Amino acid sequence: MCGIVGLVAKDNCYSRILSTLGRLEYRGYDSAGIALLSEKGFSVRKKKGGVSNLAGEPLAGKTGIGHTRWATHGAPSDANAHPHIAGKFALVHNGIVENYAALKAELLREGETFLSETDSEVIVKLIARAYRGDFFAAVSSVCARLEGAYAIAVLCEDCPEEIVCAKYRSPLVAGVSCDALYVCSDAPALSGEADAIAAARDGEFIHIRDGKITFCDREGNRLERAFTPVTEQERMRDRRRGTFMEEEIFDIPRALSDTLAALRRTDFAPCARAMRSAGKVFAVACGTAFHAALAFKDTVEREVKIPVLCHTSSEFRYRDPLVGKGDLVVAVSQSGETADTLEAARLARSRGAYILAITNVARSSLASLADFSVAMRAGPEIAVAATKSYNCQLLCLYYVAAELCFFRHTRYPAYMAELSALPAAATAAFGTFSAMDSLAQRLQGAQGMYFLGRDADVRTAAEGALKVKEIAYVFAEGYAAGELKHGTLALIEDGFPVLAVATRADLFRKTENALEEVRSRGAYTALFSQCEAISESCADFKCRLPAVCEALMPIIAVIPLQYFALRMCALRGYDPDKPRNLAKSVTVE
Ligand code: G6P
C-alpha cells in the first residue's frame, strides 16, 4: 500500500529519491517524505499530500530514504508522514505492525513520547532503544518482536552510506546501477535508475554498506542472491496520454499481443500432474482479478466439464475451505502482492494443494510462493483501477482452461484458434470511445446505475460497475439480468440508467427483454453487443462491439465499459489514477 525507497549514491540523491517516489506513488498518495543523511545529521522533508509537495531546494546527503503513504494508523498529516525519527535513526515502513498497541504501551510505560499516531514510529523507537553500537543487530532484534507485515528501510547517523532493510510479507527489492545502490518496494519504480534487480524473501534483510548490497538472514549471515537485469516488462513506458488509466486502456492491444506470445512459449508440462488429477479446482482473487476468476470458472465448467470453486481470497482464508492434497488452486493477482490472495495461496499450499499463479509481476511474492506461475505481459499498470491487466488475466485464464482440457483429454476449445484476432479486435473497440464519451455526458449526473448480463456477460457487467464505483464514485451494481425481477426492479424509476451487455447470440433476446422491462418503467437503457440483432433493439443507446468468437467476447466487451468509467470520472472532475481511499496494491488485510 505504501511505497518505500532507500538509496546510497554519490550525487543527486534527493532528486533520485523524489523521482522514484513519483513512480511509487500509485501505492499510496496521501502523504510523502524523504530523509537524507549527511555529516550534519538528518534533513527531513515530509508533507501531507502527493510527492509533488516535496519539490524544492534539494536536501543534502549521499544516503537517503523516501516514502509515499496510504494511511492505515493515523490520518494523512505531516506528522504521520514517514520517515519517522528516533535518536540516531530514521525509518520508512510499508505494512502493518499488528502488535503495535502492546509495543507502544510498553514504550509509553518506559517514558517514550510519540510524535505521530502511526504503528511505524513504534519500530524506530524500539530500534533506537535496542542500539548498542551495532546498527544491523538493533534492527534485526526489533524485527523479531514485530507481528504483521513490514518492509522497512532504516538509516543510522553513526553509519553514513549504510541502510539496513528488512522484509516480511511486504515486497522489497534491491537494485544496482553504475553509481547507486537502491532498495525499493517494486522493480518498475526503479526503471531508468537501476540496471539489475534482486527480490528479498520473507524474513530476509538487505544491508547496504561499503558500496555493496548484501542479502542476509537475521543473524547477518550472507545469502547468495543473483541480480538479474530489469526486464522489458518491468520498464515503465513514457506516458503519452493525460492519465495512466487512459494510457493503459490504449495499451490493451499491445498487452494482449505480448501476453499471447508469452503464453505460446510457456511450457505447462510442470503442471501436468496437478491438471490431470486435481481432485478439486479452486480460483481465488480480489477485486477485478476476482471477476477474471469467475470468468475462468465459467469457461472451465463449460469446456472441461469440471466444477471450479471460486472465492474472494478474503473469504477463502477464513472459511475453512474444502481444499486439500492434490487440489489445484488458481490464484489470480495483477500485483502478486495482495495480502488476502497471498494468504489464501499459503493456506491452500499448507494443505497440500498445487498453486498456479496468474500474475503481472514476475518477481512478486505470489509468483515466488506458487508451484507454477503464468506471467502476464501487461507491463506495469500504474492507475489504481485495473484495466489492461483484466483483459490479460482473462486471456491467461482461458489459456489455462484449454491446458486443463488438454491434460484431461477433453475436446480442445475452439476459441484457441481465434486468439490471434484479439489485439485487432481490442483496437477496433477504440472505435466505440466517442460514443462512450456521449454516454458518459448523458449519465454524468446519475446517482446510481445497473449493469446487466447473462452468463459470462455478468462478469463483464460486474467489472464495468466496479470501474464506475472506483473512479467515478457513482453507486453501480453488476447483476444477472434474470435476477432483475427478484428485487432490483423496485429501484427502477424515471431516467435510472441500466446498461446491459449481451454477447451470447442465443441469450440476446432474453437480455433485451430484461432491458425492455426496465425501459417500460422509465429506465434509460444502453445495450452493448456484437450481435446483428442489436440493430433492431429499442434500447435508448446502442453500442455495437467488434466481434470475436463468443467465448472470447468478455476480453473485448469490457473495453468500452472501462473507457466509459474513465470518461465519467473525468466529466465529474476526478483523477482516475488516484481514486480516494483506494490503493493499487493492497498489501495489508
Ligand atoms: C485493489 C485494486 C484493484 C485490484 C485489487 C486486486 O483493490 O484497487 O484494482 O483489482 O486490489 O489486486 P491484485 O493486484 O491482487 O489483482
Side-chain angles (χ1 to χ4, degrees):
M1 324 255 332
C2 306
I4 68 167
V5 56
L7 170 65
V8 177
K10 286 198 177 48
D11 40 43
N12 300 327
C13 202
Y14 190 77
S15 64
R16 289 183 199 213
I17 293 180
L18 202 62
S19 57
T20 306
L21 284 182
R23 287 184 296 271
L24 280 174
E25 205 170 15
Y26 74 92
R27 303 180 72 89
Y29 33 81
D30 53 45
S31 50
I34 300 183
L36 255 71
L37 178 59
S38 67
E39 315 76 59
K40 296 185 188 134
F42 293 127
S43 340
V44 181
R45 187 174 292 159
K46 53 183 198 166
K47 295 242 163 61
K48 181 180 170 180
V51 171
S52 57
N53 290 348
L54 301 177
E57 192 54 35
L59 304 176
K62 292 181 181 166
T63 310
I65 51 178
H67 188 267
T68 174
R69 178 166 187 252
W70 187 90
T72 58
H73 297 63
S77 67
D78 291 0
N80 288 333
H82 300 216
H84 295 287
I85 311 284
K88 296 178 168 181
F89 296 87
L91 165 139
V92 288
H93 168 223
N94 169 30
I96 285 187
V97 181
E98 287 173 0
N99 58 337
Y100 96 101
L103 296 170
K104 188 167 180 172
E106 173 190 315
L107 289 166
L108 286 168
R109 274 197 303 277
E110 288 169 16
E112 288 286 353
T113 52
F114 288 83
L115 298 172
S116 80
E117 300 151 283
T118 64
D119 53 338
S120 314
E121 195 182 0
V122 170
I123 312 177
V124 72
K125 291 272 186 202
L126 288 169
I127 292 171
R129 291 177 79 91
Y131 184 56
R132 304 277 177 278
D134 184 337
F135 179 17
F136 182 88
V139 176
S140 168
S141 68
V142 169
C143 287
R145 302 192 61 197
L146 304 179
E147 289 166 19
Y150 53 84
I152 56 172
V154 190
L155 303 181
C156 173
E157 278 180 343
D158 289 346
C159 310
E161 300 186 30
E162 193 167 335
I163 307 179
V164 176
C165 308
K167 176 216 160 23
Y168 187 72
R169 299 204 166 168
S170 290
L172 189 67
V173 301
V176 287
S177 73
C178 57
D179 63 350
L181 304 172
Y182 296 88
V183 285
C184 190
S185 293
D186 65 41
L190 290 181
S191 66
E193 305 277 349
D195 305 321
I197 303 273
R201 300 180 189 137
D202 281 343
E204 290 183 354
F205 292 77
I206 298 175
H207 198 170
I208 300 184
R209 188 171 48 169
D210 301 332
K212 286 197 299 280
I213 297 183
T214 313
F215 283 75
C216 36
D217 65 14
R218 66 193 154 96
E219 267 92 43
N221 300 312
R222 193 190 146 87
L223 302 167
E224 280 311 317
R225 193 58 40 88
F227 280 74
T228 54
V230 175
T231 65
E232 202 39 49
Q233 278 308 307
E234 288 168 334
R235 237 172 258 290
M236 279 202 192
R237 286 153 234 266
D238 292 337
R239 195 173 72 188
R240 284 159 302 167
R241 298 176 197 269
T243 62
F244 279 112
M245 184 166 171
E246 187 180 6
E247 183 87 18
E248 286 157 11
I249 291 174
F250 279 96
D251 196 27
I252 291 171
R254 196 265 332 138
L256 287 171
S257 166
D258 286 1
T259 300
L260 184 56
L263 283 167
R264 288 187 166 139
R265 289 193 302 269
T266 304
D267 177 11
F268 283 87
C271 294
R273 193 142 157 252
M275 290 223 184
R276 194 171 295 132
S277 51
K280 292 189 281 308
V281 179
F282 290 82
V284 292
C286 303
T288 289
F290 178 63
H291 297 147
L294 286 166
F296 173 68
K297 170 186 169 71
D298 300 337
T299 307
V300 172
E301 292 184 352
R302 188 183 61 234
E303 301 288 344
V304 200
K305 310 279 183 240
I306 54 171
V308 176
L309 299 132
C310 189
H311 297 280
T312 53
S313 312
S314 53
E315 288 297 309
F316 180 86
R317 59 184 288 201
Y318 291 123
R319 71 196 308 266
D320 192 13
L322 293 171
V323 67
K325 196 165 164 42
D327 290 340
L328 171 66
V329 174
V330 178
V332 192
S333 172
Q334 186 282 130
S335 61
E337 301 295 347
T338 299
D340 282 324
T341 303
L342 285 172
E343 286 310 318
R346 283 191 188 108
L347 169 71
R349 197 154 206 269
S350 72
R351 297 202 184 167
Y354 183 93
I355 312 298
L356 192 162
I358 309 282
T359 173
N360 193 30
V361 182
R363 297 184 212 252
S364 63
S365 306
L366 182 62
S368 70
L369 87 82
D371 296 287
F372 188 77
S373 180
V374 176
M376 290 153 43
R377 293 286 187 272
E381 190 179 67
I382 306 303
V384 168
T387 53
K388 61 178 178 173
S389 66
Y390 179 67
N391 310 75
C392 292
Q393 277 163 356
L394 290 175
L395 173 55
C396 290
L397 287 162
Y398 292 164
Y399 211 96
V400 168
E403 291 297 320
L404 268 167
C405 285
F406 174 78
F407 286 117
R408 296 209 169 219
H409 307 295
T410 318
R411 196 171 53 86
Y412 207 54
Y415 65 70
M416 289 298 280
E418 313 271 333
L419 296 178
S420 354
L422 284 169
T427 306
F430 300 165
T432 65
F433 286 179
S434 63
M436 288 306 107
D437 190 38
S438 312
L439 184 64
Q441 298 209 22
R442 174 85 169 66
L443 301 183
Q444 60 176 298
Q447 301 291 309
M449 58 183 70
Y450 278 114
F451 288 74
L452 301 180
R454 285 174 186 269
D455 189 42
D457 294 333
V458 185
R459 316 311 180 197
T460 308
E463 180 55 14
L466 180 61
K467 292 291 89 108
V468 168
K469 277 184 282 204
E470 281 177 309
I471 58 168
Y473 313 149
V474 173
F475 168 79
E477 208 56 78
Y479 228 76
E483 276 291 288
L484 197 65
K485 293 195 202 63
H486 303 290
T488 313
L489 205 49
L491 292 173
I492 302 298
E493 49 187 36
D494 259 1
F496 193 93
V498 180
L499 288 68
V501 185
T503 65
R504 257 184 67 177
D506 59 336
L507 297 176
F508 182 86
R509 288 282 164 231
K510 290 195 181 297
T511 303
E512 223 211 347
N513 287 346
L515 219 50
E516 279 299 303
E517 285 162 12
V518 292
R519 195 162 177 264
S520 62
R521 286 163 177 85
Y524 176 81
T525 55
L527 182 60
F528 296 74
S529 179
Q530 83 288 13
C531 301
E532 280 300 324
I534 193 173
S535 51
E536 272 102 58
S537 163
C538 300
D540 299 302
F541 179 94
K542 294 185 265 189
C543 175
R544 185 76 179 257
L545 300 169
V548 285
C549 70
E550 267 180 20
L552 299 178
M553 275 309 291
I555 299 177
I556 301 303
V558 75
I559 297 172
L561 300 185
Q562 293 165 333
Y563 193 77
F564 166 69
L566 177 72
R567 291 308 303 150
M568 283 284 287
C569 167
L571 290 166
R572 289 165 64 84
Y574 303 119
D575 176 355
D577 293 340
K578 295 174 187 168
R580 67 184 177 213
N581 304 336
L582 301 181
K584 178 92 186 143
S585 182
V586 182
T587 53
V588 295
E589 208 182 315

